[in-house]
Amino acid sequence: MIDLHAHILPGIDDGPATPEAALAMARTAAAAGTRAIATTSHVAHMFPIDPVQIVQGRERLAARLAAEGIELELLAGGEIAHDRLPELDDETLRSLTLGGGRYLLLECPFAPIGAGLEPLVDDLHERGFGVLLAHPERSASFQRD
C-alpha cells in the first residue's frame, strides 16, 4: 500500500511533535502493510514553513527509519493551500509533487474562495502539473455541488 497523504514529518505542522512519535506512526504504518508514504506536510500560511523544510525533514526521518530498521519509503509531497500557490514557482512546486511525479496535492479550502479553485487548477495544468484534491468532503464549495 502507498499512503498519498500523511503528516508524518515531526515538528513541521500538525503531524507528530517529536521524532519518536513519527517513528511510532511509521512502525504502525509498516505493520499494516504500508510500503511507502508521501510526506505531505502543510504548505500553508497557518504553518509558515519553507518547502525546503519538508525535504530536509524527510531526509532526517528516512535516516532514522533506516537506523531503526523500519522498512517504509518516504516519498516527496506537500499539501498545498490555495493561497500559497502564487508564492511558489515551478521549481518549488516540482519539489512538492507526490512521489516526484507530476501531481500536486491541493488542499481544498474549507470556506468558499472568490473565483473558486477552477482557475488555480487550470493554471497548474497549463504549467504541466496534475492536481489531486485533499479533503474535498470538507469543502463548503464541494458540499454545495
Side-chain angles (χ1 to χ4, degrees):
M1 176 171 28
I2 298 172
D3 185 343
L4 290 178
H5 181 188
H7 300 273
I8 191 170
L9 299 180
I12 290 184
D13 59 6
D14 55 356
T18 65
E20 291 70 28
L23 290 173
M25 285 178 67
R27 281 188 189 95
T28 299
T34 304
R35 297 181 332 270
I37 288 181
T39 56
T40 55
S41 296
H42 288 285
V43 180
H45 289 294
M46 65 188 281
F47 299 102
I49 61 168
D50 185 311
V52 171
Q53 290 174 273
I54 296 173
V55 174
Q56 293 169 342
R58 185 172 52 251
E59 291 170 353
R60 282 192 301 274
L61 183 57
R64 288 289 306 269
L65 294 178
E68 297 281 332
I70 301 170
E71 294 185 20
L72 185 66
E73 182 181 5
L74 300 180
L75 304 172
E79 183 179 0
I80 306 166
H82 74 280
D83 57 353
R84 282 291 304 270
L85 280 173
E87 305 167 20
L88 305 173
D89 61 22
D90 286 359
E91 181 180 347
T92 302
L93 288 173
R94 275 191 289 282
S95 76
L96 295 169
T97 59
L98 295 170
R102 64 179 282 271
Y103 285 88
L104 294 166
L105 183 64
L106 182 60
E107 184 172 25
C108 291
F110 295 155
I113 60 173
L117 283 179
E118 292 85 358
L120 298 172
V121 172
D122 289 343
D123 178 62
L124 289 170
H125 285 162
E126 288 173 13
R127 294 161 69 182
F129 296 102
V131 175
L132 180 65
L133 299 176
H135 306 297
E137 75 283 359
R138 298 193 294 188
S139 170
S141 296
F142 286 103
Q143 289 173 4
R144 280 195 311 271
D145 288 343

